[in-house]
Amino acid sequence: MSTSQADDNLIPQFARRGEATRASRHVIPQQESLPGTAKQIIDDETMLDGNSRLNLATFVSTWMDDDAKQVYEASFDKNMIDKDEYPQTAAIEDNCWRMIANLWNAPDASQSIGTSTIGSSEACMLGGLAFKRRWQQARRAAGKDTAKPNLVMSSAVQVCWEKFCNYFDVEPRFVPITEEHKTLDGYDLEKYIDENTIGVVAIMGVTYTGMYEPVAAIAKALDDIQAKTGFDVPIHVDGASGGMIAPFLQPDLVWDFRLERVHSISTSGHKYGLVFPGLGWVVWRESQWLPEDLIFQVSYLGGEMPTLALNFSRPGAQVLLQYYMFLRLGFEGYRAVQQESQDVAKFLSAGIAKLDAFELWNDGSDIPVFAWRLKEGHTSNWNLYHLQDRLRMKGWLVPAYPMPDDLTDLTVQRIVVRNGLSMDLAEELLEGIETETAYLDALESPMPVEAQRPAFHH
């Protein structure tokens, strides 16, 4: 240790070099600092972030137990792409997606294929790429043009699908949701399907509201379209949230590989898979639905292993955390955790429904997520953005935002219940909503509306 560093250790902490001055923002500092000084600066700056467990906007896991944290710490350095250096981590990845394939009722998981990803956005893009590549191959084999592929989805789709269409030159065809059709449900679907349609996206847990799209009804509509037109259009199920809820809480709901038209399903391990960010999974019902030219072979345990991803180097730790959760909880443990989250969601939605100011859009009976609106004619003095801001003052992030196209005049507020939001905390939140709603209802003049903005983006 240099003399100057030794001297710094004797100086009161917040008077030391580095901590007694402004930290560099845009230029790497010229000199080194003590490890404790660098850590303290970061601790101080991130202290200004919100409390992640009070963030009811995000779907992403914000809590894991202490043993999981030890698994995480022991595997920080593992690179998922390096299957030769970390063959057992590669084998565990393979175990996980096969467990998920069986969870989603694949007819024969040994004939399925899947992979982990950075998050479900990458997983969705891989599903979309498989659709596009298979469509292109079929069109070329038939001597037809491949210039104008399109993908059909709800207007309430998550932004990753818009990115997919933008990045990979696919026309997005959005089926608008309405008051009468709150999700993509197969209604008027034939208006959006043609010979250039590479697939349809069905969402198990719409980001805006948490509602399931009825995959079986969408598949039935596509069956009818095929009977009339000959267009054989596959489904990718975006199960970012519901893919890890429905098997445990609604096991009789048919939405997964029990439907032959469902070629692929994606989910977020870091959402209701109960793992810290970032981890996603995508599985194809049968390996035939993933074109071979999207797969790369890598050396693995003296043989070869298929790999497919948009990213190259990426953390292996989250894959091990997923395996830990599968081993730790098992089916019944997952069911218990997801049921508790849903119980909390329904407790909150029932409490909010009792308030005269609000009307529920849904109640959390699908995934543990629900949304509500301000009752028409209730007041002209405040809106849901004002309630959002009042709750933020108490530490709660409960986002308000406009609904998608054709419903943009409607603002809703949404709560995502995740593992870690206890019933006790939920009661505190409900009391806060009641108190702040009463405060706003007592206003004698309108609140300002300048600079209002959504606290969450889809």
Side-chain angles (χ1 to χ4, degrees):
M1 180 183 293
S2 69
T3 303
S4 63
Q5 286 183 322
D7 291 343
D8 276 341
N9 281 331
L10 299 174
I11 297 171
Q13 181 161 335
F14 292 102
R16 292 191 309 209
R17 286 186 307 121
E19 289 172 61
T21 59
R22 290 181 66 252
S24 180
R25 294 294 192 271
H26 303 293
V27 178
I28 295 176
Q30 191 65 34
Q31 302 295 331
E32 71 274 16
S33 63
L34 292 169
T37 297
K39 178 180 181 299
Q40 188 63 54
I41 290 170
I42 293 172
D43 287 347
D44 288 348
E45 292 192 10
T46 56
M47 184 171 61
L48 300 174
D49 284 339
N51 183 327
S52 61
R53 285 181 62 193
L54 302 184
N55 181 358
L56 304 185
T58 183
F59 288 75
V60 176
S61 293
T62 54
W63 184 89
M64 293 191 78
D65 64 35
D66 289 340
D67 288 304
K69 292 174 184 177
Q70 291 178 35
V71 171
Y72 201 2
E73 186 174 358
S75 54
F76 282 150
D77 60 340
K78 292 187 185 292
N79 187 349
M80 196 63 244
I81 200 65
D82 197 345
K83 300 179 189 297
D84 181 62
E85 181 70 17
Y86 307 113
Q88 197 56 41
T89 298
I92 288 172
E93 177 191 29
D94 191 69
N95 292 342
C96 286
W97 72 251
R98 291 186 189 279
M99 287 179 176
I100 294 169
N102 281 306
L103 184 69
W104 291 338
N105 294 297
D108 182 356
S110 68
Q111 301 302 311
S112 300
I113 190 169
T115 185
S116 66
T117 58
I118 286 293
S120 60
S121 291
E122 182 188 4
C124 288
M125 291 193 186
L126 289 173
L129 278 173
F131 277 173
K132 182 180 179 182
R133 190 64 57 88
R134 288 192 69 257
W135 174 83
Q136 287 173 324
Q137 291 170 350
R139 297 279 290 181
R140 289 187 185 118
K144 296 181 179 180
D145 180 68
T146 62
K148 296 181 178 180
N150 67 71
L151 182 68
V152 177
M153 64 200 96
S154 161
S155 62
V157 78
Q158 212 269 352
V159 71
C160 71
W161 288 105
E162 298 180 54
K163 289 182 178 180
F164 166 76
C165 291
N166 186 327
Y167 296 166
F168 295 102
D169 294 321
V170 173
E171 175 197 351
R173 292 190 174 176
F174 298 112
V175 181
I177 65 169
T178 64
E179 295 274 4
E180 294 75 27
H181 300 277
K182 292 183 175 182
T183 64
L184 176 67
D185 57 11
Y187 176 75
D188 271 354
L189 193 57
E190 66 276 6
K191 294 181 179 179
Y192 300 86
I193 302 291
D194 60 26
E195 64 180 353
N196 294 318
T197 301
I198 64 174
V200 171
V201 176
I203 311 170
M204 286 294 286
V206 174
T207 312
Y208 285 84
T209 63
M211 296 178 70
Y212 290 154
E213 293 185 338
V215 186
I218 295 169
K220 175 62 168 60
L222 289 172
D223 289 344
D224 294 342
I225 291 169
Q226 182 177 3
K228 294 176 184 177
T229 66
F231 302 145
D232 185 6
V233 180
I235 294 173
H236 175 90
V237 176
D238 181 348
S241 296
M244 294 301 292
I245 292 289
F248 304 106
L249 298 189
Q250 300 99 6
D252 295 330
L253 180 65
V254 178
W255 64 275
D256 51 18
F257 291 134
R258 286 170 285 185
L259 298 167
E260 288 190 23
R261 199 170 287 276
V262 174
H263 283 196
S264 51
I265 304 173
S266 55
T267 196
S268 287
H270 64 218
K271 291 179 183 172
Y272 290 103
L274 307 181
V275 172
F276 284 142
L279 178 67
W281 298 96
V282 59
V283 177
W284 284 266
R285 186 178 193 270
E286 299 164 351
S287 57
Q288 64 172 312
W289 302 133
L290 177 64
E292 290 186 6
D293 55 3
L294 291 178
I295 303 171
F296 294 82
Q297 300 294 330
V298 298
S299 176
Y300 167 68
L301 290 179
E304 288 194 331
M305 171 179 254
T307 180
L308 52 141
L310 298 179
N311 293 286
F312 196 69
S313 292
R314 56 190 174 87
Q318 280 83 355
V319 170
L320 300 183
L321 287 175
Q322 185 73 84
Y323 195 47
Y324 168 82
M325 293 306 297
F326 287 164
L327 296 176
R328 165 71 180 86
L329 294 180
F331 186 92
E332 282 304 315
Y334 263 94
R335 188 202 59 75
V337 170
Q338 314 300 38
Q339 185 63 64
E340 177 61 23
S341 293
Q342 189 173 74
D343 289 346
V344 170
K346 294 183 81 170
F347 164 77
L348 285 169
S349 66
I352 289 170
K354 292 177 182 177
L355 300 179
D356 290 340
F358 306 124
E359 179 180 338
L360 291 180
W361 182 268
N362 61 306
D363 69 354
S365 294
D366 291 339
I367 64 173
V369 175
F370 66 95
W372 68 93
R373 63 176 118 186
L374 194 59
K375 196 174 292 182
E376 188 172 353
H378 176 74
T379 183
S380 59
N381 285 345
W382 60 276
N383 57 42
L384 292 179
Y385 294 110
H386 296 122
L387 178 58
Q388 166 191 278
D389 293 343
R390 296 290 304 179
L391 292 172
R392 188 189 284 266
M393 291 167 60
K394 293 188 171 184
W396 296 102
L397 181 53
V398 183
Y401 48 83
M403 291 289 272
D405 290 349
D406 284 22
L407 284 175
T408 52
D409 290 340
L410 172 61
T411 297
V412 298
Q413 200 159 10
R414 186 197 66 203
I415 286 176
V416 177
V417 177
R418 306 181 309 283
N419 188 30
L421 181 64
S422 65
M423 191 67 81
D424 182 69
L425 268 178
E427 189 165 19
E428 293 285 341
L429 170 60
L430 186 56
E431 289 177 4
I433 292 173
E434 292 170 349
T435 298
E436 298 309 323
T437 300
Y439 168 85
L440 292 167
D441 273 342
L443 294 173
E444 296 181 356
S445 59
M447 290 280 281
V449 296
E450 289 79 10
Q452 286 189 333
R453 61 183 179 84
F456 188 79
H457 298 278
H458 301 275

